[in-house]
Amino acid sequence: MIKRVINIAAVLFVIVFSSAGLLKAVENADISFDKDNANVGDVINLKITARLDENENLSANQTITFNNFDVLGYSVNHISAVPNVYEINLQIAAYKTGVFEIEPVSINYIGTDGAQKQFLTPASKFEITSVLSKDDEDIKDIKPLRKLKRKAVYVVLAVILAFVSAFFAVLLFREIRKKKKEEEAAAVVLTPKEKAVKNLLELYNSYKGGHCEIKIFYYKMSEILRTYISEKYFFNALEMTTAEFFDRVKKSLPQEINVNEFKNYLKVFSLARYAGFKPSEAEIENNFNYTKLLLESL
């Protein structure tokens, strides 16, 4: 039993002795603040002063966390080489009230033998108070609160402006729509002849633009002519054969229109039904001009 106790004591001694070189004593570091207390959300500047042995280096890459405090940022500065002094400056903030313990944290540094070691920062306390404390008549956050109030007013004004703009936009849209309808109603109504000539010109432009096949072009050109004559002379020319249509219209032809020429013109529409019908561009233009002449003369 005594031998076992001696062995355990020896192991503990070895552990403590071996770790003594890795973890420096607390006396090698000091901790200080730029203020004695702070309000919730205030930034507190915390400074850790570390005194290392000669040629030892403090690592700039540290992971430092505190319970009840947020670490907003830190920097490491080498103050002097002899004595070998480093400063770690941290910006911390708390979002709860009370007296909080700042427990020791481990700081990494490189020893003279190149091995990574650590030391512990001293423990401390810090008081966080509320801006609405009864003991503090001066509310420090009064300016930010006023800014927030002004922002709220701007938001309300922006909403009102948006509604007013939308209201006038609706009125303007209605006025434009009303004016457009009035212009359409006041537009001159085309006569049957003007409408037929307009449709014929649009058909010819469609053909010239490659949007209408030759058979469709001749079919619609005949349809435009027969529709106009039906409206003008009050008979259904669309249902008549070419012969019937010729017999009915030849009596109404003006003197400048040759009857035989008109008869040969009508035969072209019958030929256009066949697959082998391939008139030249000159013939197509002549048929278009003759149809336009008929519409303007009848």
Side-chain angles (χ1 to χ4, degrees), residues 69-84:
F69 291 89
D70 289 342
V71 177
L72 306 180
Y74 76 90
S75 61
V76 177
N77 300 316
H78 193 192
I79 303 303
S80 64
V82 181
N84 193 15

Side-chain angles (χ1 to χ4, degrees), residues 40-105:
V40 172
D42 285 351
V43 176
I44 306 162
N45 294 314
L46 181 154
K47 181 171 69 176
I48 300 171
T49 303
R51 294 173 294 279
L52 304 180
D53 293 339
E54 189 176 352
N55 296 326
E56 291 181 335
N57 298 307
L58 190 67
S59 175
N61 186 17
Q62 305 282 340
T63 301
I64 302 175
T65 59
F66 299 104
N67 292 332
N68 301 316
F69 291 89
D70 289 342
V71 177
L72 306 180
Y74 76 90
S75 61
V76 177
N77 300 316
H78 193 192
I79 303 303
S80 64
V82 181
N84 193 15
V85 180
Y86 283 85
E87 278 187 1
I88 303 176
N89 296 290
L90 298 102
Q91 294 79 45
I92 62 175
Y95 298 96
K96 294 186 292 185
T97 59
V99 179
F100 298 114
E101 297 281 347
I102 298 181
E103 299 176 351
V105 295

Side-chain angles (χ1 to χ4, degrees), residues 6-225:
I6 293 173
N7 291 335
I8 294 173
V11 172
L12 292 175
F13 176 78
V14 171
I15 294 174
V16 172
F17 180 77
S18 61
S19 63
L22 298 176
L23 195 61
K24 280 187 174 290
V26 175
E27 288 78 13
N28 288 347
D30 296 325
I31 187 170
S32 62
F33 305 92
D34 66 336
K35 59 188 72 175
D36 295 330
N37 55 49
N39 293 307
V40 172
D42 285 351
V43 176
I44 306 162
N45 294 314
L46 181 154
K47 181 171 69 176
I48 300 171
T49 303
R51 294 173 294 279
L52 304 180
D53 293 339
E54 189 176 352
N55 296 326
E56 291 181 335
N57 298 307
L58 190 67
S59 175
N61 186 17
Q62 305 282 340
T63 301
I64 302 175
T65 59
F66 299 104
N67 292 332
N68 301 316
F69 291 89
D70 289 342
V71 177
L72 306 180
Y74 76 90
S75 61
V76 177
N77 300 316
H78 193 192
I79 303 303
S80 64
V82 181
N84 193 15
V85 180
Y86 283 85
E87 278 187 1
I88 303 176
N89 296 290
L90 298 102
Q91 294 79 45
I92 62 175
Y95 298 96
K96 294 186 292 185
T97 59
V99 179
F100 298 114
E101 297 281 347
I102 298 181
E103 299 176 351
V105 295
S106 59
I107 303 297
N108 299 322
Y109 71 99
I110 306 299
T112 54
D113 57 354
Q116 182 171 299
K117 300 181 180 181
Q118 293 180 334
F119 68 84
L120 292 176
T121 63
S124 184
K125 293 182 179 180
F126 201 92
E127 181 181 6
I128 302 296
T129 58
S130 170
V131 294
L132 300 178
S133 172
K134 294 180 180 179
D135 299 331
D136 189 0
E137 295 180 358
D138 181 19
I139 300 178
K140 296 182 180 180
D141 284 353
I142 190 67
K143 290 182 179 180
L145 288 175
R146 285 178 177 174
K147 289 181 180 179
L148 180 62
K149 185 176 180 180
R150 285 200 297 270
K151 288 181 180 179
V153 172
Y154 294 152
V155 171
V156 173
L157 290 176
V159 171
I160 294 174
L161 181 61
F163 275 111
V164 172
S165 300
F167 175 76
F168 281 107
V170 171
L171 290 181
L172 181 61
F173 175 77
R174 289 181 177 177
E175 185 66 23
I176 293 174
R177 190 175 179 181
K178 180 180 178 182
K179 187 175 180 181
K180 186 177 180 180
K181 288 183 176 180
E182 290 175 352
E183 290 176 351
E184 291 176 352
V188 178
V189 179
L190 296 177
T191 64
K193 179 178 292 189
E194 291 171 338
K195 182 179 178 182
V197 173
K198 177 176 177 294
N199 291 339
L200 181 65
L201 290 173
E202 291 178 352
L203 176 64
Y204 186 66
N205 291 332
S206 177
Y207 166 73
K208 295 293 285 185
H211 305 297
C212 180
E213 295 181 359
I214 188 63
K215 285 187 177 183
I216 301 298
F217 171 71
Y218 271 88
Y219 171 79
K220 289 188 175 181
M221 187 162 58
S222 174
E223 184 180 44
I224 291 171
L225 176 63

